Amino acid sequence: MTFLPALFAAMVAAVPVPSTFRIAVIVGRNDGGPGREVLRWAHKDAESIAAVMGELGGIATSDRVLLIEPDKNALDATLALVQARLALVPTGARSELLFYYSGHADEVGLMLGRERYAFRDLRARLDAIDVDLRLVVVDACASGALIGKRTKGGKKTAPFLGDGDLSGHAYLTSAAADEVAQESDSLEASFFTHDLITGLRGAADRDRDRTVTLTEAYRYAFDATLARTQATTTPQHPAWDIALTGAGDVV
């Protein structure tokens, strides 16, 4: 597990912040506990998301927390420190949170080794963090249970890394509540995360305006993941729960 006390201490210090403050908590866990096959690429998934958020997502290194093989206590402690840091954002500044997880899960929650982090508890924990905008991406089996979706669905939404006044949440999952999420040895990644990152790096830019919106990225990842897994025994149908208010689109 990557656990950086000095970083966390800095996060809770009362230091000046920009007009828009963004932080990312990015988790990769290969070990889902006894009786579950150890994943090969969850760590790389998380590292790749951290990299693209730094290169293209406007999130500074000091504001990206990468957790590798955390247990439930470590994840809870990290979220508590992030919540404390975001509570220090000055009045009038925007705050935005990205939470990403790649690893094992079942229809009840994330499988963190011998521990389970129930989806209802995780969602309540994330929803308790006071931010203007909350983006949650979970790439795991049965991850649609986080949002109560067994089939695909969605609607157009507004900006994550934009300057608009939108607020609310976007919960995105790699599979429906009754489906498995698959890895690819040839891609050296999970199908969904690979396709999401490919979209973020430009493939999802349908209108060729040199920006990729949340709507474009997720639609690309949905279509590509479904196409890649269609020939397998368990095609994946990514799902989403989006409730955002405001103008614009998520860049």
Side-chain angles (χ1 to χ4, degrees):
M1 178 189 70
T2 300
F3 195 82
L4 304 175
L7 170 62
F8 296 148
M11 286 164 52
V12 298
V15 297
V17 296
S19 59
T20 299
F21 183 84
R22 306 174 181 118
I23 191 165
V25 176
I26 300 169
V27 182
R29 172 116 196 171
N30 283 329
D31 183 5
R36 294 180 180 273
E37 182 179 357
V38 176
L39 300 174
R40 296 190 64 182
W41 306 115
H43 296 179
K44 186 176 178 183
D45 285 346
E47 290 162 357
S48 297
I49 288 289
V52 79
M53 287 297 105
E55 294 167 22
L56 302 175
I59 303 179
T61 300
S62 60
D63 298 327
R64 299 193 308 270
V65 182
L66 177 63
L67 296 177
I68 300 299
E69 296 298 300
D71 59 18
K72 185 176 182 296
N73 285 338
L75 181 52
D76 265 335
T78 300
L79 293 175
L81 287 164
V82 167
Q83 182 174 12
R85 179 67 183 93
L86 288 168
L88 297 175
V89 173
T91 302
R94 283 184 55 77
S95 56
E96 301 173 349
L97 171 68
L98 166 68
F99 176 85
Y100 169 89
Y101 172 87
S102 179
H104 277 289
D106 61 12
E107 65 279 1
V108 178
L110 307 182
M111 302 302 299
L112 304 176
R114 295 179 177 274
E115 302 173 300
R116 179 187 282 109
Y117 201 139
F119 283 133
R120 66 175 181 275
D121 296 335
L122 175 64
R123 179 141 188 177
R125 188 72 190 82
L126 293 169
D127 287 346
I129 299 175
D130 185 15
V131 287
D132 294 299
L133 190 59
R134 182 182 301 102
L135 177 58
V136 178
V137 181
V138 176
D139 189 348
C141 295
S143 50
L146 175 66
I147 58 178
K149 296 285 185 70
R150 292 185 175 273
T151 57
K152 61 185 178 182
K155 61 184 179 181
K156 186 173 175 63
T157 64
F160 175 52
L161 298 182
D163 294 325
D165 61 353
L166 80 160
S167 61
H169 69 252
Y171 281 80
L172 314 178
T173 69
S174 65
D178 52 358
E179 294 176 346
V180 299
Q182 303 173 66
E183 292 187 313
S184 168
D185 287 341
S186 62
L187 296 174
E188 297 186 354
S190 71
F191 286 108
F192 178 77
T193 293
H194 172 83
D195 292 328
L196 179 61
I197 289 174
T198 299
L200 290 171
R201 290 196 178 278
D205 184 16
R206 292 188 176 187
D207 59 10
R208 300 184 182 277
D209 65 351
R210 300 186 63 81
T211 62
V212 176
T213 66
L214 175 60
T215 304
E216 288 176 322
Y218 194 71
R219 175 47 58 186
Y220 178 89
F222 178 95
D223 291 341
T225 299
L226 181 57
R228 289 181 192 275
T229 60
Q230 196 70 54
T232 70
T233 57
T234 53
Q236 286 177 233
H237 296 81
W240 56 13
D241 172 19
I242 297 174
L244 297 174
T245 59
D249 206 347
V250 179
V251 176

